[in-house]
Amino acid sequence: MRTIIEPFRIKAIEPIRMTSRDEREKLIQEAAYNVFLLPARDVLIDLLTDSGTGAMSAAQWAGIMRGDESYAGSDSYYRFENAVKDIFGFSHVIPTHQGRAAERILFSTVCSTGQTVPSNSHFDTTRANIAYVGAEPVDLPCVESRVLADPHPFKGDMNLEALQHLLEQCEPGKVPLVMLTITNNSGGGQPVSMANIRATSKICRKHKVPLYIDACRFAENAYFIKQRERGYEDVALIDIAREMFSCADGCTMSAKKDGMANIGGFLASNDEQLTREERNLLILTEGFPTYGGLAGRDLEAIAVGLYEALELDYQHYRIISTEYLGQHIAAAGVPIVQPPGGHAIYIDAASFCPQIAPLEYPGITLTVELYREAGVRAVEIGSVMFGSVDTESGQEQPAPNELVRLAIPRRVYTQSHIDYVVEAIVNVFERRDALKGYRIIEQPALLRHFSAHFAPL
Ligand SMILES: *Cc1c(COP(=O)(O)O)cnc(C)c1O
């Protein structure tokens, strides 16, 4: 059969609310043209993020009922720990309430002022946690990732020459660890090849620097390796995952992604001494080591979800349905980051409406228009999110790219929802010449994209 279907049937439904164009016009104005300020009930199709927004399976809900809420040593913890050890292979596991808590504990323990932490591309919370302890996060993405339209199969790869050069040039102790984000979220949800994971690991071992994987989308990355890398066609996703992690010394994980859960995360490694120090910090801010800021029921949902993410039918549907959205809008001429990523499609807003200058925020224009057109919520990843202000001149500097991300929640929307999103984007594309930019009328000093107020130009 050529038709690809959702590999599940629907047991519980959640109504979504239709709104009229007039209502949306008023709502987006009241939200100061910032889609983060819209109440979710006024959004029809919510593609703001794939983080914690997935639908759980019947088996996960059964796990929720089975959750053991004992303070110490609950059964749920042991089921969670066994699942993580089985798939990831690390000997010490620390549960946390989400990915950034794992990052904070890791970097507060291993990292200090003046150090440098290289990565293929740091996720924004990772970057912030490194900067918070006074160290410098450095991105070393592969050269192919620079051209948005280049359909290279592993655009998430680490730039190996740059990593080698950095480790050779710096004095001993300058780099406490190297991070590898799979898939590379900031780089458009692009995968990292097994060859690149191996080569990164080899460079790290040669320089005696631990390698940590930011594992949030490890199962999607495993699927891309199976699909695109020679020699892995017949290897099960779980074995690809085990091979990826065997190259690393530890990982941080947000279970809100490929943990298929609504909350949770963990930190894992093979370093016993380090784990002891990390657990002390965990107790201080997250909780006892057998629950780490989560309820027993959350640990159950993750223990089940990690395996579900590695089911071939699920990943096939996941990756193909994301690609379906990308291919259909690209076929209508909409410029997107190629090839389509695992969890999201990124529209190149600068090419979509070239008449809008970067500092007139074409990504904001596009998110507002998608909401106006059809009640679809996407997110700007451009100069509002990543622009900076030059400290000397006070001039605002644009970000390198003006993107709009359409992130696909796991197992939530069906193909007809996606067809609806395609139509909305194409409708906006057809009237792109008439679109105008925005200016910021109010913004906080930090993380302005969440709460800035805009006005149309
Ligand atoms: C979401 C994410 C994180 C942070 O996880 P939270 O659970 O949101 O704290 C870290 N790295 C990557 C690549 C992510 O996508």
Side-chain angles (χ1 to χ4, degrees), residues 65-93:
M65 272 313 294
R66 188 161 78 146
D68 172 0
E69 305 303 341
S70 304
Y71 192 94
S74 81
D75 272 357
S76 300
Y77 172 74
Y78 292 112
R79 276 191 282 273
F80 161 83
E81 188 190 43
N82 285 339
V84 175
K85 285 185 175 175
D86 181 36
I87 297 167
F88 296 78
F90 299 115
S91 42
H92 306 290
V93 183

Side-chain angles (χ1 to χ4, degrees), residues 231-454:
Y232 290 93
E233 302 83 353
D234 300 321
V235 183
L237 295 180
I238 193 166
D239 293 322
I240 296 178
R242 286 176 180 141
E243 189 176 334
M244 297 189 311
F245 293 106
S246 72
C247 299
D249 301 285
C251 77
T252 56
M253 172 76 186
S254 168
K256 301 173 74 172
K257 323 290 173 46
D258 278 351
M260 311 291 277
N262 301 122
I263 196 73
F266 56 85
L267 170 60
S269 79
N270 291 324
D271 189 329
E272 191 175 345
Q273 176 55 34
L274 179 64
T275 302
R276 215 169 291 144
E277 291 171 41
E278 288 166 345
R279 283 207 175 110
N280 290 337
L281 201 54
L282 181 81
I283 293 173
L284 192 66
T285 58
E286 291 276 300
F288 191 74
T290 63
Y291 72 85
L294 292 168
R297 63 180 79 101
D298 300 324
L299 295 167
E300 293 278 355
I302 299 167
V304 176
L306 290 170
Y307 287 104
E308 290 183 351
L310 290 166
E311 280 169 15
L312 187 57
D313 286 348
Y314 162 70
Q315 275 306 335
H316 194 54
Y317 141 78
R318 169 80 176 151
I319 303 300
I320 299 274
S321 58
T322 305
E323 201 177 276
Y324 177 93
L325 170 58
Q327 279 172 352
H328 279 74
I329 59 173
V334 176
I336 64 166
V337 176
Q338 291 284 8
H343 68 291
I345 295 298
Y346 293 71
I347 299 176
D348 179 359
S351 313
F352 189 107
C353 29
Q355 74 275 23
I356 303 176
L359 293 179
E360 295 173 2
Y361 314 124
I364 295 299
T365 301
L366 202 46
T367 56
V368 169
E369 291 309 317
L370 285 176
Y371 181 71
R372 259 197 189 123
E373 181 71 30
V376 173
R377 178 155 65 175
V379 64
E380 190 255 17
I381 303 205
S383 290
V384 175
M385 193 181 274
F386 290 128
S388 57
V389 175
D390 187 290
T391 37
E392 272 166 29
S393 66
Q395 287 280 320
E396 192 177 340
Q397 300 295 321
N401 295 306
E402 302 299 330
L403 302 177
V404 166
R405 185 183 73 184
L406 307 151
I408 317 291
R410 292 170 181 75
R411 301 188 293 206
V412 169
Y413 295 117
T414 63
Q415 185 170 341
S416 60
H417 290 120
I418 300 298
D419 285 334
Y420 176 93
V421 173
V422 169
E423 184 183 337
I425 296 167
V426 173
N427 287 351
V428 174
F429 189 60
E430 278 165 4
R431 55 183 176 81
R432 63 190 178 279
D433 293 342
L435 301 179
K436 294 203 162 60
Y438 284 79
R439 66 190 169 87
I440 294 178
I441 52 174
E442 198 184 306
Q443 60 179 320
L446 272 178
L447 297 172
R448 64 180 183 171
H449 54 284
F450 289 127
S451 56
H453 290 192
F454 300 93

Side-chain angles (χ1 to χ4, degrees), residues 51 97-101 103 123 125-126 181-183 185 214 216-217 253-257 264:
S51 178
H97 79 277
Q98 56 185 90
R100 67 197 70 184
E103 292 166 356
F123 183 65
T125 59
T126 322
T181 312
I182 63 171
T183 58
N185 189 351
D214 178 339
C216 296
R217 297 182 182 80
M253 172 76 186
S254 168
K256 301 173 74 172
K257 323 290 173 46

Side-chain angles (χ1 to χ4, degrees), residues 123-240:
F123 183 65
D124 53 6
T125 59
T126 322
R127 178 183 307 283
N129 272 297
I130 293 167
Y132 189 71
V133 296
E136 189 196 1
V138 175
D139 288 347
L140 305 173
C142 66
V143 287
E144 290 84 359
S145 69
R146 283 185 213 144
V147 183
L148 297 184
D150 179 356
H152 184 273
F154 288 107
K155 280 169 98 173
D157 280 356
M158 174 80 84
N159 183 333
L160 298 169
E161 292 76 38
L163 177 65
Q164 179 123 16
H165 184 75
L166 187 149
L167 289 173
E168 271 162 16
Q169 294 301 305
C170 65
E171 66 264 32
K174 174 93 173 168
V175 176
L177 59 85
V178 170
M179 289 292 285
L180 194 59
T181 312
I182 63 171
T183 58
N184 192 345
N185 189 351
S186 315
Q190 302 293 332
V192 181
S193 70
M194 190 72 85
N196 191 263
I197 298 174
R198 286 199 170 287
T200 302
S201 173
K202 202 167 156 204
I203 293 172
C204 290
R205 289 196 175 150
K206 182 172 151 214
H207 292 274
K208 299 198 167 52
V209 175
L211 172 64
Y212 272 67
I213 291 181
D214 178 339
C216 296
R217 297 182 182 80
F218 76 100
E220 291 173 10
N221 202 86
Y223 182 82
F224 279 119
I225 287 175
K226 186 179 173 75
Q227 225 185 14
R228 298 181 183 173
E229 195 163 347
R230 189 175 289 171
Y232 290 93
E233 302 83 353
D234 300 321
V235 183
L237 295 180
I238 193 166
D239 293 322
I240 296 178

